[in-house]
Amino acid sequence: PLPGSTKRLDYVLNGHAAFWCSIVAVALADHYRWIDISTLYDDFVPLAVASCILSLLLSIALYVASFRPAKPLLAKPGNTGIRIYDFFMGRELNPRISNFDLKYFCELRPGLIGWVCLNLGALAKQREVSTSMLLVNIFQLQYVWDALYFERSILTTMDITTDGFGFMLAFGDLSWVPFTYSLQARYLASYDAQLSTLSLVVITLLHF
């Protein structure tokens, strides 16, 4: 329930379906040459800058909208009266456009699925795909799949129940997660360590 009431918000739990639809669509588009997924590797920096700008603009819009006359439910951590701090933390707890929850949507889908796509772009860029690159893609794909398969678990986390939707979460969800978590694959695309079979086996065992 929302803080101070018994009201509950409705959420659409389709992250798992969105994950598979996105991955299959990207794979088919690359296979039939409608797109070249390795472009994600080539345009990594411009895409990262664009995501930062988008995060900033979204945060500004959310902050301004939190002062609307309708008096939305505010998050305690982002309602201190210190403007720069409130902008960073986020004033409104559950900003929505009709029934579309902006914070819940951004929390998992764009960042995690984008992370997988960036990994696939790095894999496509590597001339001879190495075992290390395959393992990074498989392990991180499994992590993302797990998060989206069990997406209902996010509803009980601090991000949803307590924190407002401000620059901290917007930047973290849309920029930090996809463009830092994919750095391992990006590194391997150009500087593969050519690990020994024993090393790869040990890493795989550690993963599971």
Side-chain angles (χ1 to χ4, degrees), residues 1-206:
L2 295 172
S5 75
T6 58
K7 181 181 178 182
R8 292 177 180 270
L9 297 176
D10 293 325
Y11 293 92
V12 178
L13 304 179
N14 62 0
H16 188 231
F19 167 77
W20 285 116
C21 287
S22 299
I23 298 305
V24 171
V26 168
L28 288 176
D30 183 69
H31 176 75
Y32 289 106
R33 288 320 198 187
W34 299 330
I35 63 170
D36 182 359
I37 197 172
S38 65
T39 303
L40 294 175
Y41 178 91
D42 297 330
D43 293 338
F44 184 88
V45 174
L47 288 170
V49 171
S51 75
C52 291
I53 294 172
L54 176 63
S55 300
L56 178 61
L57 293 177
L58 176 60
S59 302
I60 293 171
L62 290 167
Y63 183 74
V64 172
S66 70
F67 290 96
R68 63 186 182 275
K71 296 187 180 300
L73 180 63
L74 301 180
K76 187 176 180 181
N79 188 30
T80 65
I82 304 172
R83 293 181 181 179
I84 189 66
Y85 182 80
D86 292 347
F87 170 78
F88 181 80
M89 295 299 296
R91 292 188 80 241
E92 189 171 352
L93 182 61
N94 303 107
R96 290 188 163 207
I97 300 175
S98 186
N99 291 324
F100 181 70
D101 193 295
L102 293 167
K103 182 172 70 170
Y104 180 73
F105 174 79
C106 291
E107 189 71 20
L108 292 178
R109 291 167 177 76
L112 293 185
I113 295 175
W115 169 18
V116 171
C117 291
L118 288 168
N119 278 356
L120 292 175
L123 183 148
K125 190 67 178 179
Q126 198 175 43
R127 293 183 178 180
E128 295 182 7
V129 177
S130 66
T131 307
S132 298
M133 176 67 84
L134 283 175
L135 290 180
V136 163
N137 271 266
I138 291 170
F139 293 164
Q140 295 184 356
L141 180 75
Q142 182 193 14
Y143 177 92
V144 172
W145 169 83
D146 181 82
L148 289 164
Y149 184 79
F150 296 104
E151 71 170 317
R152 67 174 60 251
S153 301
I154 199 73
L155 295 173
T156 58
T157 64
M158 184 176 180
D159 286 3
I160 299 297
T161 64
T162 307
D163 290 335
F165 193 28
F167 183 76
M168 178 183 71
L169 285 181
F171 176 78
D173 294 340
L174 303 178
S175 301
W176 181 262
V177 168
F179 290 98
T180 58
Y181 290 14
S182 61
L183 287 176
Q184 297 95 325
R186 183 170 177 79
Y187 177 85
L188 289 174
S190 300
Y191 306 101
D192 195 284
Q194 298 298 325
L195 297 176
S196 66
T197 301
L198 177 60
S199 297
L200 294 171
V201 169
V202 171
I203 289 170
T204 302
L205 291 175
L206 286 173

